[in-house]
Amino acid sequence: MVVGTGGGAVSDRQRAATRALPRVLTVAGSDSGGGAGIQADLKTFQRFGVYGMSALTLVTVQNTVGVSGIHLLDPATVAGQIAAVAGDIGVDAAKTGALGSIAIIEAVADALARHRIANLVVDPVMISKHGDPLLPDEAVGALIRHLLPLARVVTPNLHEARVLSGRAIDTEADMGEAARAIRDLGAAAVVVKGGRGLGREAVDVVLEGEILTRLPAPVIDTRHTHGSGCTYSAAITALLAGGTPLVEAATRAKAFLSRAIGTAPGLGSGRGPVNHWA
């Protein structure tokens, strides 16, 4: 037994329990409204009982109505944040969100590869729920070349899946074909998020190996869905960090997201955030 700095005794069992705590990193932008980005990720990590860390990529001036400003951080600063936590605390799983530029994508990919972070969830954030662009068109190729080959799973929504796959997506069958096309770009697995985009159900598809799994949920009639994509991918990341298989992780994450949307607190006059404590 050792004595902690606060004067209390810390047992070997307590230290072992602390070491077993999954460590999860989000590499994403800041949402000043707290509904998306690193704020949503860290709230979700806390909800799932993992230790959350962050590497900030950009700062948005944002509320529930829209994004009125974006400031990109220096790529070296972004990479330095990743190196700082990975080299000291360690990372069991990581996710990427809004990256903002080719230079930041390259710096993030290099840092993640250098520190051999295996459970990487790439959420290819291209546009906000308000319709504001968060990734320039010219940076999509860099994301495909540098990040997708590192990904344990990629989690595009319908718009992002269309861009990454180069395919039209009008049916569930199209979602599966898009997932295969994205997998063929180098990702180990793909979750295509259908949201409310196709039909009466909110259907996602998970492609792992050659197995395609359908994840349906009822459509919830609400405008308060801001940060839902970040929250979903953060929940998957937290579960992967603890050793949960991908399909189970996506299933549990989707159930959590449905509760989070269904119990959204109704904040703001625009697209409000979901309930991260659902």
Side-chain angles (χ1 to χ4, degrees):
M1 180 179 290
V2 296
V3 177
T5 56
V10 180
S11 69
D12 291 338
R13 181 177 296 179
Q14 287 171 318
R15 288 190 297 168
T18 299
R19 285 196 298 271
L21 181 67
R23 303 154 299 177
V24 185
L25 171 66
T26 172
V27 183
S30 170
D31 172 3
S32 54
I38 61 164
Q39 286 85 352
D41 293 344
L42 292 173
K43 291 172 186 176
T44 304
F45 294 164
Q46 185 78 10
R47 175 64 180 80
F48 277 83
V50 301
Y51 182 75
M53 303 166 286
S54 63
L56 194 62
T57 59
L58 56 87
V59 176
T60 66
V61 180
Q62 184 174 175
N63 54 25
T64 67
V65 177
V67 179
S68 58
I70 299 176
H71 174 73
L72 304 184
L73 271 66
D74 178 72
T77 300
V78 179
Q81 294 173 82
I82 297 171
V85 298
D88 174 37
I89 299 169
V91 178
D92 296 306
K95 64 154 290 191
T96 63
L99 299 176
S101 74
I102 293 173
I104 291 177
I105 290 170
E106 291 174 344
V108 167
D110 181 69
L112 293 173
R114 183 174 301 166
H115 291 279
R116 302 178 183 274
I117 297 173
N119 285 315
L120 175 63
V121 177
V122 174
D123 189 12
V125 178
M126 297 179 184
I127 192 167
S128 77
K129 274 288 192 301
H130 314 103
D132 301 289
L134 296 173
L135 185 72
D137 292 342
E138 62 270 18
V140 173
L143 186 141
I144 291 172
R145 289 191 304 274
H146 298 293
L147 272 181
L148 263 57
L150 302 176
R152 171 72 181 81
V153 59
V154 184
T155 62
N157 60 28
L158 288 179
H159 168 73
E160 293 155 354
R162 291 181 182 109
V163 173
L164 293 175
S165 68
R167 295 170 176 266
I169 303 177
D170 298 313
T171 66
E172 284 186 36
D174 293 339
M175 292 173 66
E177 291 305 312
R180 292 184 179 91
I182 296 167
R183 187 269 316 276
D184 291 345
L185 294 173
V190 182
V191 176
V192 177
K193 301 174 292 190
R196 296 187 290 179
L198 299 175
R200 299 177 183 177
E201 290 183 301
V203 176
D204 304 335
V205 297
V206 182
L207 178 67
E208 186 174 31
E210 294 303 322
I211 299 175
L212 193 68
T213 303
R214 181 180 187 267
L215 302 181
V219 171
I220 299 171
D221 185 17
T222 177
R223 72 174 189 272
H224 297 295
T225 58
H226 180 54
S228 57
C230 301
T231 301
Y232 190 10
S233 61
I236 291 174
T237 309
L239 289 163
L240 290 177
T244 304
L246 175 59
V247 173
E248 181 184 345
T251 302
R252 290 174 58 185
K254 186 173 179 67
F256 165 68
L257 181 62
S258 292
R259 295 194 302 272
I261 293 173
T263 59
L267 301 175
S269 56
R271 290 184 175 272
V274 302
N275 173 20
H276 294 99
W277 293 273

